[in-house]
Amino acid sequence: MRARLLNIVLLIALLLGSWEALHHLVGAIAISSPAETVQRLAAMMATDSFWMHARETMWAFAQALAIALSGGLFIGLVLGGYRPAGTVFEPILVAIYSVPKVTLYPVILLIFGLGISAKVAFGAIHGIVPVAMFTMNAVRSLNQTYLRAARSMRLTPGQTALRILVPATLPEIVTGFRVGFSLTLLGSLIGELFASQRGLGFLIMRAVNVYDVKTIFAVTLLIAVVAIIVNSAMLALDQRLHRRL
Amino acid sequence: MSRYGWMRLGVIVAFFASLEAVVRLGVVKRTTMIPPTEMARALVDILAGGQLNDDIVATLATVLVALVGAVTTGFAMGVLLHAMRPARRLLDPLFASYYAVPHFVFYPVFIVLFGMNRVPLVILGYLFAVVAMIINTLNGLDRIPRVLLKVARTNRMGPLATAWYVVLPSTAPYLFTGIKLAVAYSFIGVIAGEFILSGAGIGHQLAFAYDNFDSRTMYGLLLFILTLVTVVNMSLWSYEQKLLRRRSRG
């Protein structure tokens, strides 16, 4: 455990070092130094308008995530539980997963109009497919012996679900949630980079238009750090669940 | 085609037929969406007219450069990291959280660094694809059956012969998965970058058509992109399934 912690500290030091080196190499006009970036971020975080944008992004993201997780879970359970449906739809899910979904954004804008609902819808379509695929595979690869054991012990359907289905499929579903989380965040942020009036993505685009390098780096850093922290927490949970099995 | 294949085709046809019906019956306004048959006609017009050929070539060339770069350097880095344990341990957390960071937020930074040209797009596609290739190369090298390496040693095979007859065949399915992901990711990276901010390419033309309320061109291009990417990805996917089946049998 201590070796791993040391490892992570070392990696962060390495990344910060190469960032600082790049800053000196390219110059402050293109890359702001780590210290300047953190200062700018702190200054921005002291203003009300920053939190207005951050709240907008978080609210859109939270709604998108709720839709992606519940929708993906439902689709995955249906397709995993009923094998022919899974066979028919799996390649379709794979195809949807690997298409550049950003090209669908104009369609979403035309349907939902400019505003938060377009961002929510766009985030949700990014996240829903991986959650569905992981859930489907979890249900499919469920060991049939467990179900037979449950039947021979005369477990009620409720008990079967609680004692067998949930513990057996949970690790894979958590993996799906982790991937779904990242992709939903990606989707909501792309939605803000393009045709948006509010949110962190909008802050980046506005900074690009006025060539404010420090702000670009500050907001980008904030998003990256939050994404990495949440992902690491979910990864730890994920690995713990997988080891228990 | 198998029975499920026909059912799948039925699902897809039903989807487009209902889309057609919904638009033709006026449930969805024409300004929002045009019927799929008209999208197809618009696509044919675009390709026959040839006015977007330059953009199509530009996008495909950018994707190709990013892809070739990602696959070759990703493979090389995977092999190197597999040999250097401490470096791999150091970088492991980076790989684990790499795809959690929304890369497109870095795109403006690349534009600042390299200007508004194809270079930031190549970098965006490359960065998106390369780690998938590294991870899958490492995965493949980790999973070479020990016994095969021992057989190679008892037969006194040299490093080159071992690499060719043992390492490559047994890692092939993983390498292929890496290539498949790299293809999908470099397409996503390049087209998304073009769409957000650029001066040429299919993604740029799509955004341009949207900004000018030209829904016919927009949907024609959308159909083109989705068909192109889906055909490429699905052929790779079905070949991969074949590889995996062969491996699980032998």
Side-chain angles (χ1 to χ4, degrees):
Chain A
M1 193 59 218
R2 271 193 56 194
R4 267 198 57 177
L5 211 63
L6 187 75
N7 194 4
I8 290 172
V9 172
L10 214 62
L11 181 64
I12 292 174
L14 186 75
L15 289 176
L16 279 178
S18 22
W19 180 0
E20 184 77 45
L22 267 178
H23 163 69
H24 286 293
L25 205 71
V26 184
I29 189 91
I31 295 182
S32 63
S33 76
E36 281 172 354
T37 307
V38 172
Q39 263 169 20
R40 169 58 61 93
L41 186 59
M44 284 174 76
M45 282 171 122
T47 63
D48 283 340
S49 81
F50 173 82
W51 289 106
M52 191 273 284
H53 289 294
R55 257 202 308 278
E56 165 90 6
T57 300
M58 279 192 286
W59 178 226
F61 173 62
Q63 292 179 58
L65 193 64
I67 296 172
L69 296 189
S70 53
L73 198 61
F74 176 75
I75 296 172
L77 288 177
V78 170
L79 294 185
Y82 184 53
R83 206 165 259 274
T87 317
V88 170
F89 280 96
E90 192 189 4
I92 298 180
L93 285 184
V94 173
I96 297 175
Y97 179 67
S98 43
V99 138
K101 274 172 279 292
V102 67
T103 53
L104 294 174
Y105 197 49
V107 181
I108 300 232
L109 284 177
L110 287 174
I111 295 173
F112 291 94
L114 292 167
I116 190 164
S117 42
K119 282 188 242 175
V120 172
F122 196 58
I125 62 166
H126 272 78
I128 198 165
V129 178
V131 176
M133 290 206 302
F134 275 100
T135 310
M136 178 179 78
N137 284 327
V139 177
R140 263 193 194 170
S141 55
L142 181 70
N143 195 335
Q144 295 297 318
T145 327
Y146 295 163
L147 290 180
R148 255 177 273 145
R151 230 174 306 144
S152 65
M153 289 178 199
R154 295 179 179 256
L155 295 190
T156 63
Q159 282 172 322
T160 312
L162 200 68
R163 304 268 169 210
I164 311 268
L165 287 177
V166 173
T169 54
L170 197 63
E172 278 302 298
I173 291 179
V174 168
T175 309
F177 276 15
R178 183 168 63 83
V179 177
F181 179 93
S182 319
L183 285 172
T184 309
L185 181 62
L186 179 70
S188 335
L189 285 170
I190 294 181
E192 285 181 348
L193 289 181
F194 187 84
S196 167
Q197 306 301 318
R198 257 187 242 137
L200 296 177
F202 166 73
L203 281 183
I204 294 183
M205 269 337 237
R206 195 177 60 182
V208 169
N209 289 333
V210 299
Y211 206 73
D212 178 0
V213 179
K214 274 186 210 164
T215 305
I216 302 177
F217 271 84
V219 180
T220 308
L221 177 71
L222 175 72
I223 293 169
V225 168
V226 170
I228 289 174
I229 290 174
V230 173
N231 183 62
S232 309
M234 289 178 82
L235 197 63
L237 176 73
D238 195 343
Q239 280 165 350
R240 174 174 283 184
L241 285 171
H242 273 280
R243 232 176 297 143
R244 217 183 49 187
L245 214 62
Chain B
M1 202 153 52
S2 68
R3 196 160 60 100
Y4 291 128
W6 286 108
M7 282 164 78
R8 196 173 302 136
L9 193 66
V11 169
I12 295 166
V13 170
F15 172 76
F16 281 107
S18 54
L19 209 59
E20 182 92 22
V22 163
V23 184
R24 293 245 180 238
L25 293 175
V27 182
V28 175
K29 269 187 263 154
R30 285 240 164 196
T31 44
T32 304
M33 192 175 280
I34 63 172
T37 47
E38 270 178 44
M39 292 183 202
R41 219 172 300 144
L43 170 60
V44 171
D45 289 346
I46 290 169
L47 292 181
Q51 67 269 39
L52 295 181
N53 282 1
D54 290 348
D55 292 289
I56 293 171
V57 171
T59 300
L60 292 182
T62 313
V63 171
L64 195 68
V65 174
L67 175 67
V68 171
V71 169
T72 49
T73 56
F75 175 72
M77 284 193 257
V79 172
L80 273 178
L81 283 177
H82 188 73
M84 302 191 299
R85 294 216 146 261
R88 181 179 179 182
R89 245 202 322 272
L90 181 67
L91 290 179
D92 244 359
L94 180 72
F95 292 153
S97 47
Y98 189 79
Y99 283 104
V101 178
H103 297 75
F104 296 103
V105 295
F106 291 114
Y107 181 55
V109 175
F110 297 145
I111 294 183
V112 171
L113 282 178
F114 300 101
M116 266 279 263
N117 49 47
R118 308 306 289 178
V119 178
L121 292 168
V122 170
I123 295 177
L124 195 63
Y126 172 82
L127 285 182
F128 210 33
V130 70
V131 171
M133 192 64 204
I134 298 178
I135 293 173
N136 278 290
T137 307
L138 285 172
N139 256 338
L141 292 174
D142 286 343
R143 283 177 181 68
I144 302 172
R146 277 279 172 80
V147 62
L148 293 183
L149 291 174
K150 280 184 197 155
V151 170
R153 229 176 310 147
T154 49
N155 283 308
R156 294 180 177 255
M157 285 162 82
L160 265 179
T162 313
W164 183 252
Y165 290 109
V166 177
V167 176
L168 203 60
S170 58
T171 48
Y174 294 94
L175 295 183
F176 192 79
T177 304
I179 294 173
K180 181 196 73 174
L181 288 175
V183 171
Y185 288 168
S186 48
F187 262 110
I188 293 178
V190 170
I191 293 181
E194 285 178 348
F195 184 81
I196 296 169
L197 197 65
S198 82
I202 314 179
H204 167 71
Q205 292 297 344
L206 186 73
F208 188 76
Y210 167 75
D211 285 338
N212 289 291
F213 304 103
D214 183 359
S215 10
R216 202 164 175 276
T217 311
M218 188 188 101
Y219 277 106
L221 276 171
L222 189 60
L223 190 64
F224 177 74
I225 296 172
L226 297 187
T227 313
L228 174 76
V229 175
T230 306
V231 167
V232 171
N233 287 332
M234 287 328 278
S235 6
L236 291 176
W237 186 76
S238 58
Y239 184 68
E240 183 195 28
Q241 300 298 100
K242 216 182 280 173
L243 268 184
L244 287 176
R245 239 172 291 148
R246 205 170 63 191
R247 190 181 156 91
S248 63
R249 245 191 279 131

